[in-house]
């Protein structure tokens, strides 16, 4: 066993996951530029966004989302009772009041709700990375809150090396896999589906 070569542990990282929030409630507190980015990410993931922020000072993009009915909007300041809905999956704050943000974070900890407090890494259960999107393809680069601008640089360099229309190709692969699952349902038919899939790729 001593001669085995296993990967070395590299602590200090994050567990990067594709968190499925489709049709799940996510509470966003704040209506500025950072909130606009958070809301767009959530809507792209088909989440049900609940937004709490006074109307005065809303970012133009956030106001647009509200006008289009893309979010459930409450024109007010955050109150602890806003976390009483058990269906809330996560909370994101993007306000210019550090004390208020910390209070919200502590309330989320009490209720065991995952939270992201903008620009305060120690008060984040998860981070946003720099994301490249092409249809179903999503590539995220994370610096674990250390250097967001560096993450953008790395993401752009990775995206520049990708083949054109890679997203469309992946979408076609996904459609093929769905068809094969209909033709050969059940986990026990996995090997058969894989053979058909490999054969179809050779014939394409």
């Amino acid at each position: 066993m001593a001669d085995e070569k296993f990967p070395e542990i590299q602590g200090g990282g994050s567990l990067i996951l594709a968190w499925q929030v489709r049709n799940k409630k996510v509470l966003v507190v704040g209506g500025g530029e950072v909130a606009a980015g958070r809301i767009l990410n959530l809507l792209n993931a088909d989440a049900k966004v609940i937004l709490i922020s006074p109307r005065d000072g809303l970012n133009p993009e956030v106001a647009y989302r509200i006008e289009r009915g893309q979010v459930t909007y409450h024109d007010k300041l955050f109150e602890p009772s806003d976390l009483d809905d058990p269906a809330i999956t996560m909370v994101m704050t993007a306000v210019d009041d550090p004390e208020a943000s910390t209070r919200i974070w502590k309330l989320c900890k009490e209720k065991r709700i995952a939270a992201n407090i903008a620009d305060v890494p120690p008060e984040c259960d998860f981070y946003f990375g720099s994301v490249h999107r092409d249809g179903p393809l999503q590539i995220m680069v994370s610096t674990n809150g250390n250097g967001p601008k560096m993450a953008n640089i790395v993401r752009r360099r990775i995206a520049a090396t990708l083949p054109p229309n890679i997203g469309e190709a992946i979408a076609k692969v996904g459609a093929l896999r769905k068809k094969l699952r209909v033709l050969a349902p059940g986990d026990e038919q996995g090997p058969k589906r894989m053979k058909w899939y490999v054969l179809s790729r050779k014939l394409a």
Side-chain angles (χ1 to χ4, degrees):
M1 183 67 71
D3 295 330
E4 294 285 354
K5 297 295 183 181
F6 297 111
E8 293 292 330
I9 304 299
Q10 299 182 45
S14 297
L15 182 62
I16 297 181
L17 304 171
W19 196 338
Q20 299 298 318
V21 293
R22 179 188 297 271
N23 295 324
K24 295 181 180 179
K25 290 184 179 180
V26 179
L27 179 65
V28 177
V29 182
E33 182 179 356
V34 174
R38 300 289 194 260
I39 291 169
L40 178 60
N41 286 331
L42 290 168
L43 293 177
N44 283 339
D46 300 320
K48 294 181 177 180
V49 180
I50 302 168
L51 174 64
I52 295 176
S53 178
R55 188 172 294 275
D56 181 36
L58 283 177
N59 173 275
E61 182 179 342
V62 175
Y64 172 83
R65 304 294 176 199
I66 294 170
E67 291 170 4
R68 290 300 181 94
Q70 296 174 346
V71 302
T72 300
Y73 176 56
H74 300 283
D75 180 5
K76 68 185 191 72
L77 293 172
F78 172 85
E79 299 174 359
S81 59
D82 293 322
L83 295 178
D84 288 345
D85 185 348
I88 292 176
T89 301
M90 65 174 68
V91 173
M92 302 179 190
T93 72
V95 297
D96 294 328
D97 187 339
E99 292 185 4
S101 293
T102 296
R103 285 196 298 270
I104 295 172
W105 177 70
K106 289 181 178 179
L107 288 169
C108 289
K109 294 301 95 186
E110 292 175 4
K111 293 181 175 290
R112 298 185 178 181
I113 302 174
N116 175 278
I117 311 302
D119 295 326
V120 189
E123 296 181 359
C124 292
D125 294 305
F126 56 93
Y127 301 113
F128 281 88
S130 182
V131 177
H132 171 74
R133 177 79 185 270
D134 183 356
L137 174 65
Q138 291 179 267
I139 300 174
M140 188 184 88
V141 177
S142 173
T143 59
N144 289 301
N146 288 285
K149 291 184 178 180
M150 288 296 297
N152 285 331
I153 293 172
V154 174
R155 184 259 303 167
R156 286 195 296 268
R157 291 190 177 182
I158 292 173
T161 67
L162 297 174
N165 302 321
I166 185 67
E168 181 181 352
I170 293 172
K172 290 180 179 179
V173 169
L176 175 60
R177 292 186 65 197
K178 288 180 181 178
K179 290 180 180 179
L180 293 178
R181 281 197 170 277
V182 173
L183 294 172
D187 294 338
E188 71 281 357
Q189 298 202 58
K192 181 186 293 185
R193 289 196 299 270
M194 182 57 66
K195 288 181 180 179
W196 287 350
Y197 172 73
V198 172
L199 178 61
S200 68
R201 299 307 298 166
K202 290 181 178 179
L203 295 176

